[in-house]
Amino acid sequence: RSQLCPVKDGFKIVVVVDQQHAYNDLDLPLLNRFEKQVLCEEDVLGEKQKAVVAELAKWTTFVLEQTSLPHFQALFCGYHDRCLASLVLSLSEFNDDCDATECYGPDLIKAKAALARVAMPVGVRVSEELRGITAVDYFTQHASLAAALDVYAKPVGGLGATVVLLTHSPASHVEPALVSVKDLDIKVVQLAELNSESQLVEVAHDFFADRSEQPLAMMVQCDPVFCKEALINHARYVCLQQRRLAEVELKGLATLPSRHLIFVIHLPPGLSQRDRFFPLDFHPPWQVIF
């Protein structure tokens, strides 16, 4: 039931909400009470960044034609219209005047490599262009959970890696896959089983507060059927906040303990009524792989 409350003269409120959530889930009377503005990644691109996005779009179109796949989502997991803009913003750190070679690499190799890491196996198998992007065989790096952690987590220095792992494997496959992981103690958290944000804060805080010298990883399992995109992204934000607090507390140490933060997004193919999709967005410091 709506309730009136007194507010100060000149009071203003800004509500930030995901565009699709607003369109699909919020009540129309609520939306009509607000002036609405849509802000997307493309809206904050500078002219140089727009040129890079255009070059990447040409390259992804060339790869798609090379593979003869029906659409981009069959080539890159989670692809959508704004993901190239988010990739360019991430690599350039939102700076339109950054050095292009330093930010994106010669011939945009850094940007292409980021897309190759989320490419579907069938696309890599068919496309010579994708296979030539990475120095190590894609099918070696992405063969299993253990192989992916060996490449994308364990070698990362500092406080450890921050990885979003997209997979077609169901959540039940993680436990047996962990048997093959060596030299890394992994704490598994089911996001859908947490009752509140404070519970996640407590779990993340305890993880980063562990002062043991052995490498540790916190793996948060997410299923878009039970956890909406906004919830998953907020959970990532909460965990990053705890990571930053740990970095401040550990500042000055000669060697930081390895505390890898890994979000696993399960996207097993299923019925249309339970279709799973998680949009591919690139946000520092996360590295996204499939």
Side-chain angles (χ1 to χ4, degrees):
R1 190 179 65 181
S2 299
Q3 293 183 351
L4 299 178
C5 62
V7 297
K8 188 176 181 179
D9 290 342
F11 170 82
K12 298 181 185 299
I13 183 172
V14 177
V15 178
V16 180
V17 62
D18 177 77
Q19 182 181 5
Q20 294 304 316
H21 175 64
Y23 291 165
N24 298 331
D25 301 322
L26 296 186
D27 293 332
L28 190 59
L30 173 64
L31 290 176
N32 288 339
R33 290 180 180 271
F34 290 87
E35 176 185 340
K36 292 167 285 294
Q37 302 290 341
V38 177
L39 179 65
C40 301
E41 288 86 347
E42 296 94 330
D43 299 324
V44 295
L45 290 172
E47 293 304 317
K48 296 177 182 177
Q49 292 167 328
K50 289 179 181 178
V52 175
V53 170
E55 286 298 314
L56 284 176
K58 291 179 182 178
W59 180 78
T60 54
T61 300
F62 167 75
V63 174
L64 183 66
E65 293 173 348
Q66 192 178 61
T67 61
S68 299
L69 291 171
H71 48 72
F72 282 114
Q73 288 183 14
L75 178 59
F76 302 111
C77 184
Y79 188 96
H80 61 95
D81 292 339
R82 300 193 299 272
C83 73
L84 295 182
S86 73
L87 174 58
V88 170
L89 289 172
S90 175
L91 292 175
S92 65
E93 297 181 346
F94 293 82
N95 180 12
D96 190 39
D97 295 322
C98 74
D99 182 89
T101 302
E102 181 179 344
C103 289
Y104 314 115
D107 194 29
L108 305 182
I109 189 64
K110 289 184 180 179
K112 293 175 182 178
L115 290 168
R117 286 192 288 269
V118 294
M120 298 291 197
V122 63
V124 179
R125 177 69 69 185
V126 175
S127 172
E128 184 178 349
E129 179 76 13
L130 280 177
R131 291 197 304 274
I133 293 297
T134 55
V136 181
D137 181 22
Y138 167 96
F139 295 98
T140 300
Q141 295 177 332
H142 300 243
S144 65
L145 176 61
L149 294 179
D150 285 341
V151 175
Y152 298 108
K154 292 181 182 179
V156 177
L159 198 55
T162 48
V163 176
V164 174
L165 175 60
L166 308 173
T167 177
H168 280 173
S169 296
S172 59
H173 286 189
V174 166
E175 186 174 348
L178 292 176
V179 176
S180 302
V181 179
K182 307 298 182 184
D183 305 320
L184 186 62
D185 187 8
I186 299 180
K187 177 181 179 60
V188 178
V189 178
Q190 300 279 354
L191 184 59
E193 294 181 357
L194 299 179
N195 297 320
S196 64
E197 178 180 332
S198 60
Q199 190 175 0
L200 177 60
V201 169
E202 182 180 354
V203 170
H205 175 269
D206 292 345
F207 169 72
F208 287 111
D210 190 322
R211 296 295 179 258
S212 59
E213 296 182 359
Q214 67 183 34
L216 304 176
M218 175 175 163
M219 180 176 291
V220 183
Q221 289 187 263
C222 312
D223 187 333
V225 167
F226 306 107
C227 305
K228 292 185 178 181
E229 175 195 351
L231 175 61
I232 296 173
N233 287 335
H234 185 65
R236 289 164 58 189
Y237 169 78
V238 168
C239 291
L240 276 185
Q241 289 295 95
Q242 294 303 310
R243 187 178 189 272
R244 294 189 181 104
L245 291 175
E247 287 178 331
V248 173
E249 294 176 3
L250 297 171
K251 188 177 181 180
L253 291 182
T255 304
L256 295 177
S258 293
R259 299 293 180 264
H260 306 295
L261 182 58
I262 303 163
F263 270 68
V264 181
I265 315 296
H266 295 279
L267 304 165
L271 301 175
S272 59
Q273 292 88 345
R274 293 173 66 86
D275 187 31
R276 292 167 169 88
F277 177 77
F278 188 80
L280 174 62
D281 287 309
F282 298 90
H283 299 297
W286 298 99
Q287 182 167 212
V288 189
I289 64 174
F290 176 79

